[in-house]
Amino acid sequence: MADAPSIIFVDDDPNVLSGLRRRVRAKRPNWRLQFCDNGEEVLNLLQSRHSVDVIVSDMRMPVMDGAELFRKVSRLYPEIGRILLSGYADEHANLLGTSATHHFLMKPCDDQSIINAIERALILRSYLRDPYLLGVMSCLPGHYLWPTAFRNLQTTLYHEGPISEENLSHYAMDHRECVTFIQRYARREGLIGENSTATLHHLFEVLGIESVKALALLFEIYGNGDITVAENDPELIRALIMAEIAARIGRHENSEFENIDASRAASLLAHIGSKLIETVLPNQSMTARHIADKNQCDIISAEIDVMGISHAGLSACMAALWSFKHEIIEDIAFHHRPESAPTGRSSTLATVYAAQHFAREYGRSGRLVKEKYPLSERYLATVGIGEKWTAWSNIARETVRLHEMR
């Protein structure tokens, strides 16, 4: 049992814990389950000795609610999966909780939904322990691991308690160019007016927490804190176009706001691993690209052959380090090979896959890369989007056209 997954359930209602203990043990007898009735007990367990893979917590608890617990866990034990259950009707309360949460489930939810969320967390946790990936991460300079603007945003969101407009205003004053960069992206999508100077709080409301976090990261990693450098980097421009396509497809499908946020953020971060690999392994990265071009094979295969890792794997590993949601980490990890993802019919992964395909097809090098990345008709049929493809393609073509006019 030493290697069995370790899960902690937290709820101040003993009847809820009793029911979970009985039902989850019956369905997953190999899991090591622990049950706590308050957040302080969880923190004491973690501090003492316990190796824990996933925590599942209720939101509403006295003294320390689930949001506060997860803010503390994210700071002290960022590798632990965090799943929040909430019955709140208050959207602001949910926003506070999900900022430090990998997965969010609205109560009432059935046992299988909870088990599925835990299993996704466990699969991704195992995937992201690859020693080659961890080796590359250990060589990254500090300003790539924790860029200043992003680190300060994390502190504001996770560690200072409830998010207030005052805290966000202070952040915006300290990081004006970063916030301007995020505003300009929001204008691209038509989410704020051309002359709007939307507050950071409003940007969270129209883009979502995950997208704002991802944009802050890109600003620093590609632009090194300089908005002119950022907006002229071709790889960053590609990421912005891909994200915009994903978001516009999501809105066309009337997707939930959280799903649009997730697919946009995953699209923004999907290729950040390429930038980081070029920093740590420049010669091997160049060799992999040369092999992919020469042999007309996909870049993932070439990267793994040359380095033992792929940019998708490193992007996902970094997204986990940066506490993005499990859904986003999965979408990043499998954006080239969605049929291999543990969640077989993820709508957000399908959107990210489509956005990447269209960004290639309608980009300047579309004709050159199309043969290297044939469309997976089988995957499209599996997720049921084959009939939507033409409409999505038109959305993407128009998005690229608008970008070229700007």
Side-chain angles (χ1 to χ4, degrees):
M1 289 288 287
D3 296 327
S6 175
I7 321 295
I8 294 180
F9 289 90
V10 195
D11 199 301
D12 64 313
D13 187 335
N15 293 325
V16 171
L17 290 181
S18 177
L20 285 169
R21 180 184 289 110
R22 182 181 66 257
R23 298 191 305 272
V24 176
R25 275 184 175 158
K27 293 183 178 182
R28 294 295 183 274
N30 61 313
W31 287 358
R32 288 186 293 132
L33 305 180
Q34 298 176 84
F35 300 86
C36 300
D37 60 14
N38 63 79
E40 200 61 47
E41 184 181 355
V42 175
L43 295 175
N44 289 337
L45 273 175
L46 296 176
Q47 190 175 12
S48 60
R49 56 183 176 82
H50 281 73
S51 174
V52 175
D53 296 299
V54 180
I55 300 173
V56 183
S57 177
D58 188 32
M59 175 67 169
R60 179 178 290 182
M61 296 183 293
V63 184
M64 183 189 303
D65 64 18
E68 183 181 354
L69 170 62
F70 280 174
R71 282 194 294 272
K72 292 183 177 181
V73 172
S74 73
R75 182 176 71 252
L76 299 171
Y77 312 97
E79 73 282 0
I80 295 176
R82 304 180 292 278
I83 299 171
L84 187 70
L85 308 179
S86 177
Y88 275 11
D90 183 350
E91 292 184 6
H92 187 59
N94 290 335
L95 177 70
L96 302 185
T98 56
S99 65
T101 300
H102 287 128
H103 198 92
F104 178 81
L105 292 173
M106 183 66 75
K107 295 168 63 176
C109 57
D110 56 50
D111 296 339
Q112 194 58 49
S113 295
I114 297 174
I115 289 172
N116 289 345
I118 294 171
E119 288 182 334
R120 169 187 268 180
L122 293 172
I123 290 170
L124 292 174
R125 186 170 164 83
S126 174
Y127 173 83
L128 299 172
R129 284 174 172 168
D130 185 309
Y132 290 102
L133 288 171
L134 297 177
V136 171
M137 289 176 64
S138 69
C139 297
L140 286 170
H143 65 276
Y144 278 166
L145 279 174
W146 291 105
T148 302
F150 176 73
R151 183 181 67 244
N152 293 344
L153 184 60
Q154 290 277 80
T155 300
T156 301
L157 292 176
Y158 288 12
H159 307 148
E160 294 183 352
I163 304 168
S164 70
E165 290 202 40
E166 182 180 0
N167 288 343
L168 295 177
S169 295
H170 289 158
Y171 174 89
M173 285 188 288
D174 291 338
H175 301 281
R176 293 179 187 275
E177 287 210 348
C178 179
V179 174
T180 298
F181 175 73
I182 298 169
Q183 289 170 339
R184 289 181 181 178
Y185 177 82
R187 289 192 195 102
R188 291 171 63 105
E189 283 195 26
L191 300 177
I192 62 175
E194 281 298 319
N195 299 316
S196 170
T197 54
T199 65
L200 187 55
H201 188 274
H202 185 58
L203 292 170
F204 278 121
E205 291 179 336
V206 298
L207 287 167
I209 283 180
E210 306 302 315
S211 295
V212 172
K213 286 165 52 181
L215 287 163
L217 277 165
L218 295 186
F219 171 73
E220 290 234 283
I221 289 177
Y222 286 96
N224 198 27
D226 186 313
I227 194 167
T228 303
V229 174
E231 293 186 335
N232 286 282
D233 186 291
E235 293 301 315
L236 176 52
I237 292 170
R238 175 193 178 197
L240 298 178
I241 293 172
M242 184 172 158
E244 188 175 353
I245 292 172
R248 291 185 184 279
I249 288 173
R251 286 195 290 274
H252 173 78
E253 293 297 319
N254 295 317
S255 299
E256 294 183 0
F257 177 82
E258 291 77 10
N259 288 343
I260 296 174
D261 182 23
S263 60
R264 184 194 291 112
S267 297
L268 288 166
L269 297 175
H271 298 94
I272 204 167
S274 297
K275 173 75 171 178
L276 302 180
I277 290 173
E278 289 171 7
T279 301
V280 178
L281 303 170
N283 294 333
Q284 293 94 320
S285 175
M286 188 178 299
T287 299
R289 288 182 179 277
H290 175 72
I291 290 173
D293 291 339
K294 180 181 178 181
N295 299 337
Q296 283 294 292
C297 67
D298 69 277
I299 188 64
I300 297 290
S301 299
E303 287 173 339
I304 292 174
D305 286 346
V306 173
M307 299 175 288
I309 65 169
S310 71
H311 74 270
L314 182 57
S315 297
C317 209
M318 295 302 295
L321 173 70
W322 293 323
S323 294
F324 282 87
K325 296 183 184 303
H326 289 145
E327 181 179 23
I328 294 171
I329 297 168
E330 181 180 312
D331 292 350
I332 293 170
F334 297 98
H335 70 275
H336 275 272
R337 298 175 177 175
E339 64 279 357
S340 302
T343 305
R345 295 180 62 86
S346 166
S347 62
T348 56
L349 177 55
T351 303
V352 173
Y353 175 70
Q356 175 178 240
H357 175 84
F358 294 133
R360 289 197 203 105
E361 183 174 359
Y362 300 126
R364 294 182 179 178
S365 57
R367 295 178 182 176
L368 299 176
V369 301
K370 196 171 182 180
E371 291 183 9
K372 290 165 57 176
Y373 302 98
L375 189 62
S376 176
E377 301 285 355
R378 182 177 179 181
Y379 171 71
L380 298 186
T382 300
V383 296
I385 60 175
E387 295 180 356
K388 303 175 181 180
W389 200 252
T390 300
W392 289 13
S393 177
N394 291 335
I395 291 168
R397 186 185 292 108
E398 178 65 10
T399 301
V400 174
R401 187 187 70 81
L402 291 173
H403 165 75
E404 291 174 347
M405 290 174 58
R406 294 186 180 111

